Amino acid sequence: MFPNNLREIVESTYEKAVQNGHVKYTESSSKKLKDVHSGISYQVTYAPSLQSKPERSDADAVDETGSSVAKKDPFQEPEPELTVLEDCASDYRLVLNKFPVTPNHLILVTKEYMLQTSPLSPKDLLTTYKLLQQLNDEDEMLRHLAFYNCGPNSGSSQDHKHLQILPLPNRFVPYQDRLCNGKDHFIPNAKTEPLQDPKIPFAHYAVPLPEDSKDVDEDLLAMTFVSLLQRALSVFQDWSGNSSEGSDAREPITPAYNVLMTTEWLCLVPRSKTCAKTPSIGFNATGYAGLVLVKWEESWNALNNDPSVVTDLLLECSFPSTAGTKPSEYHY
Ligand code: B4P
């Protein structure tokens, strides 16, 4: 499906693009932290130079004359210097992230314009899985995380459908690894719930993927994804007070979620908002693997003083865990 030397192509395209200024790499410092209450390991990355980067805006941009111009879609015609594969499984392009904090950060972009609010298709899922397989290197202990920020509250800033792929930090163990380790693949159904770590306070729906990659195909990934999406949509249904429980009606929240995938597991996290207030931190899907990007010194200090703050902030931007509760007949 992909060239055997894909990693070399990625690395050489990246090095060239940094040298010629097409990739704007952000310097940062990182620290590993552990929240002993939830058991989550975090890698917190501090990048103060991103403070000046504007937050997501749905308004049109303004040109030098002050006139409104339509927000540009950077994935419509990706810069050739950032393009790793012009054709990826016919429907996609593989490009470098123009503003990475981690080297070799990739984006899988649909050739045809599709919305970032649409669910992942069977082909999106299998192409991503195959890319992860191709990029991972057991001998070098190199693993990758793929993620999809779906909907504005999930931390996405671009509306053209795209998944992202990041090398995981060396020896970093996301909590999903522990949760899924040694367990067989299953498709959650009315009787079997996806895995959630009872010590983690926010909702996170995980399923181990088959150990033998030959068993992984579009159908298996699509059925697994849909079963996780059903759980996430039920969270929004309950939130708006439409469930049989008759909880007080609340302001509805537009459904948004993060999808996280490695070759070992698939995980989905329903999201309520992008940014936590105090201390101020925005999260995309990477946060829900334990990789946290911090732009402000006050936030960096607060997390270093007490890593359990990260878990509290992740909960603030998502929903409480549903571990141990059975779905009702009214759920999706
Ligand atoms: P989105 O899904 O829409 O947004 P995002 O990755 O959350 O990044 P955002 O833009 O909100 O930036 P943030 O300050 O949170 O993805 C769109 C992606 O397209 C972005 O990654 C953007 O860089 C990229 N892009 C925009 N214009 C482009 C162009 N012309 N060509 C190619 N790519 C283009 O984060 C700043 C950076 O750090 C982002 O790259 C983000 O992905 C990365 N990041 C965030 N958390 C991280 C973590 N924990 N570890 C490593 N990197 C992290």
Side-chain angles (χ1 to χ4, degrees):
M1 198 178 217
F2 309 111
N4 282 338
N5 61 341
L6 179 60
R7 242 183 82 203
E8 282 139 57
I9 303 176
V10 171
E11 285 166 11
S12 65
T13 314
Y14 175 79
E15 269 154 39
K16 249 185 261 160
V18 170
Q19 276 163 21
N20 61 29
H22 284 272
V23 159
K24 318 272 183 211
Y25 176 71
T26 298
E27 294 288 343
S28 62
S29 42
S30 293
K31 199 168 176 182
K32 289 200 168 115
L33 301 173
K34 176 132 189 169
D35 169 18
V36 289
H37 305 293
S38 65
I40 303 179
S41 299
Y42 292 108
Q43 170 151 308
V44 183
T45 300
Y46 180 43
S49 61
L50 287 174
Q51 283 167 16
S52 53
K53 187 169 169 276
E55 295 298 331
R56 178 192 167 91
S57 163
D58 290 322
D60 284 349
V62 174
D63 70 9
E64 331 58 84
T65 66
S67 315
S68 176
V69 284
K71 210 176 131 191
K72 199 169 174 284
D73 172 5
F75 304 141
Q76 177 73 40
E77 284 174 35
E79 292 168 44
E81 294 81 356
L82 300 181
T83 305
V84 175
L85 295 178
E86 179 56 38
D87 183 276
C88 201
S90 306
D91 296 342
Y92 314 88
R93 291 189 181 93
L94 188 64
V95 301
L96 292 169
N97 187 328
K98 190 171 178 66
F99 306 105
V101 175
T102 306
N104 305 315
H105 181 160
L106 293 164
I107 307 186
L108 183 70
V109 185
T110 57
K111 282 187 188 168
E112 217 173 280
Y113 183 81
M114 294 181 77
L115 281 174
Q116 188 70 6
T117 44
S118 58
L120 293 174
S121 70
K123 186 161 184 182
D124 294 340
L125 289 159
L126 188 64
T127 308
T128 305
Y129 178 85
K130 298 263 180 206
L131 268 174
L132 289 171
Q133 257 193 313
Q134 185 69 45
L135 292 165
N136 286 353
D137 188 327
E138 241 176 80
D139 294 341
E140 292 186 27
M141 299 208 315
L142 177 65
R143 291 174 71 203
H144 290 77
L145 170 76
F147 60 97
Y148 183 55
N149 301 320
C150 184
N153 284 339
S154 70
S156 75
S157 60
Q158 298 297 336
D159 297 331
H160 183 142
K161 196 175 195 187
H162 62 281
L163 285 114
Q164 304 190 49
I165 301 174
L166 266 184
L168 278 169
N170 200 8
R171 286 198 285 269
F172 179 77
V173 182
Y175 60 84
Q176 290 92 342
D177 276 0
R178 276 189 290 107
L179 191 57
C180 297
N181 193 13
K183 306 211 173 69
D184 289 335
H185 169 71
F186 63 95
I187 294 176
N189 56 29
K191 292 199 183 106
T192 321
E193 285 300 290
L195 304 178
Q196 285 188 90
D197 184 329
K199 281 169 73 187
I200 294 180
F202 53 83
H204 56 286
Y205 302 112
V207 163
L209 292 176
E211 210 168 316
D212 188 345
S213 60
K214 287 203 265 325
D215 296 336
V216 177
D217 58 16
E218 284 193 3
D219 285 350
L220 179 139
L221 289 171
M223 284 192 291
T224 308
F225 172 73
V226 167
S227 73
L228 301 181
L229 185 56
Q230 279 173 340
R231 267 57 182 192
L233 293 178
S234 295
V235 166
F236 289 98
Q237 186 187 37
D238 282 351
W239 180 263
S240 321
N242 292 334
S243 76
S244 62
E245 319 285 309
S247 54
D248 291 342
R250 285 175 279 210
E251 273 295 301
I253 297 179
T254 310
Y257 55 88
N258 295 129
V259 182
L260 299 95
M261 187 202 270
T262 64
T263 48
E264 287 80 29
W265 43 258
L266 186 66
C267 178
L268 202 141
V269 176
R271 293 291 305 275
S272 59
K273 59 179 175 173
T274 303
C275 282
K277 281 218 177 80
T278 322
S280 167
I281 303 187
F283 298 106
N284 68 15
T286 56
Y288 290 87
L291 305 172
V292 179
L293 183 65
V294 176
K295 302 176 185 174
W296 303 93
E297 192 180 6
E298 185 202 356
S299 313
W300 171 249
N301 291 338
L303 306 192
N304 275 296
N305 283 343
D306 179 6
S308 72
V309 169
V310 193
T311 313
D312 296 342
L313 299 180
L314 288 169
L315 173 59
E316 185 185 329
C317 294
S318 58
F319 293 90
S321 167
T322 55
T325 54
K326 289 260 169 271
S328 79
E329 61 184 296
Y330 297 98
H331 281 137
Y332 281 102

